[in-house]
Amino acid sequence: GGYVANSLAIMTDALHMLTDLSGIILTLLALWLSAKSPTKRFTFGFHRLEVLSAIISVLLVYILMAFLLYEAVERTIHMDYEINGDIMLITAAVGVAVNLIMGFLLNQSGHLHSHSHSHPHSHVPQSNSPNTVHSSSHGHSSLAVRAAFVHALGDLVQSIGVLVAAYIIRFKPEYKIADPICTYVFSILVVLTTVRILCDTGVIILEGVPRHLNVDRIKEDLMKIEDVYSIEDLNVWSLTAGKTTAIVHLQLVPGSSSKWEEVQSKARQLLLNTFGMYKCSVQLQSYKQEISKTCASCQSSSA
């Protein structure tokens, strides 16, 4: 519709919708990849393909946005363009209608979900309980639906803005500058929508700790396990969004090496259930007293 009407505002609004569509496709891709078994070459599976797809889709959106911004600047400077007000108005009206339907459905879904799980939500245990992740999963789902509803409201406001611009251009063609102005505003919205995706994918690629986890808190809870003397090493990273992996190396207190199975079980339960790890590996070793060693150069200098 934007191409036929020669409207950059419609095309930029469609570009914003493209970012939402890519998010849905990535979610479906993640569900499909989660069913794939690891291979001898890819022992972690293919979860990182979701991250690569996210980066490619965002880069594609940026390329299209750069083209639209260039056209908007050209139109602002030269003002040598014509817009079909009728087609722009019809397309903008359809966009508003679709966003209204989507917002209504998400709102109804959020209400139904919150009512159907009202009792579990009123008794969510504290974060240090082993059952935290399991019992609060419905709460996370409800929050996801509410977040999608808020995002849909933002899309609705943008579509209404396009509709207003289309109305102005249809009945006041001399104010066609409203079309590139909408492109500038909506391009900012597209950037704000995609920056978070780039940041999250960057953290995953660099194997950083997910934003919802605190390494110090994990260490404190591991140290509370009976017969744990120290934490030699702890690595936490994400295979992809929502699939966190951890490797921890624990040292047992002197004389408790016979309890290693119990300690390992408690540590795994803590990581998997309390902190919601997708996979974890717990390595144990008996207590070894650290002996300070003097380097060869120091020994030779003292001699």
Side-chain angles (χ1 to χ4, degrees):
Y3 178 79
V4 175
N6 196 29
S7 169
L8 293 179
I10 294 289
M11 286 189 276
T12 311
D13 190 21
L15 183 64
H16 194 188
M17 295 299 104
L18 179 62
T19 62
D20 297 339
L21 176 62
S22 64
I24 295 173
I25 293 174
L26 289 174
T27 301
L28 295 175
L29 177 64
L31 292 173
W32 178 67
L33 291 175
S34 63
K36 292 288 183 180
S37 301
T39 64
K40 292 180 180 180
R41 183 174 180 84
F42 300 98
T43 56
F44 275 114
F46 300 92
H47 302 292
R48 287 280 169 91
L49 282 177
E50 179 190 3
V51 180
L52 292 178
S53 300
I55 294 176
I56 292 173
S57 64
V58 170
L59 290 179
L60 175 62
V61 167
Y62 281 172
I63 292 172
L64 295 174
M65 185 180 68
F67 171 76
L68 292 176
L69 282 174
Y70 174 79
E71 288 293 324
V73 172
E74 287 290 316
R75 290 188 176 189
T76 304
I77 295 174
H78 302 291
M79 296 293 290
D80 55 349
Y81 61 94
E82 295 296 330
I83 297 176
N84 189 321
D86 291 329
I87 296 179
M88 183 180 180
L89 190 61
I90 293 172
T91 306
V94 171
V96 171
V98 170
N99 278 291
L100 280 173
I101 294 172
M102 184 169 59
F104 174 77
L105 292 175
L106 286 170
N107 187 39
Q108 292 299 313
S109 177
H111 282 308
L112 289 173
H113 191 97
S114 61
H115 290 325
S116 62
H117 298 290
S118 58
H119 295 295
H121 287 173
S122 61
H123 299 288
V124 175
Q126 298 300 316
S127 58
N128 57 355
S129 169
N131 299 321
T132 298
V133 173
H134 176 74
S135 58
S136 62
S137 59
H138 298 306
H140 292 316
S141 300
S142 180
L143 288 175
V145 173
R146 288 165 55 189
F149 173 70
V150 172
H151 188 85
L153 286 181
D155 295 340
L156 176 61
V157 172
Q158 177 173 320
S159 297
I160 292 175
V162 175
L163 182 61
V164 171
Y167 184 84
I168 293 174
I169 293 172
R170 169 65 179 81
F171 296 101
K172 296 285 184 179
E174 62 270 20
Y175 294 130
K176 60 184 180 180
I177 190 68
D179 186 71
I181 289 176
C182 284
T183 301
Y184 299 140
V185 175
F186 298 156
S187 296
I188 296 175
L189 295 178
V190 170
V191 171
L192 294 177
T193 303
T194 53
V195 162
R196 177 68 177 270
I197 298 175
L198 286 178
C199 291
D200 290 343
T201 53
V203 170
I204 292 174
I205 291 176
L206 296 175
E207 297 188 338
V209 179
R211 65 175 72 247
H212 68 280
L213 291 176
N214 187 325
V215 173
D216 292 332
R217 174 65 185 277
I218 297 176
K219 288 183 177 180
E220 290 176 3
D221 288 359
L222 286 172
M223 287 298 298
K224 292 178 182 177
I225 298 177
E226 188 178 359
D227 297 318
V228 172
Y229 177 78
S230 66
I231 300 174
E232 296 296 307
D233 194 20
L234 173 62
N235 295 309
V236 180
W237 73 99
S238 292
L239 295 176
T240 186
K243 294 190 181 297
T244 308
T245 306
I247 295 178
V248 60
H249 186 186
L250 303 176
Q251 189 175 98
L252 302 177
V253 298
S256 61
S257 58
S258 60
K259 300 180 181 179
W260 69 269
E261 286 185 293
E262 181 180 350
V263 173
Q264 186 182 59
S265 176
K266 290 181 179 179
R268 285 181 56 82
Q269 184 180 14
L270 180 73
L271 294 172
L272 294 175
N273 296 338
T274 303
F275 293 102
M277 301 293 176
Y278 173 67
K279 287 185 178 180
C280 70
S281 176
V282 180
Q283 302 174 1
L284 302 174
Q285 74 174 46
S286 302
Y287 171 78
K288 292 181 180 179
Q289 185 176 5
E290 294 183 359
I291 303 175
S292 58
K293 297 181 179 180
T294 307
C295 63
S297 60
C298 295
Q299 290 177 345
S300 60
S301 61
S302 61

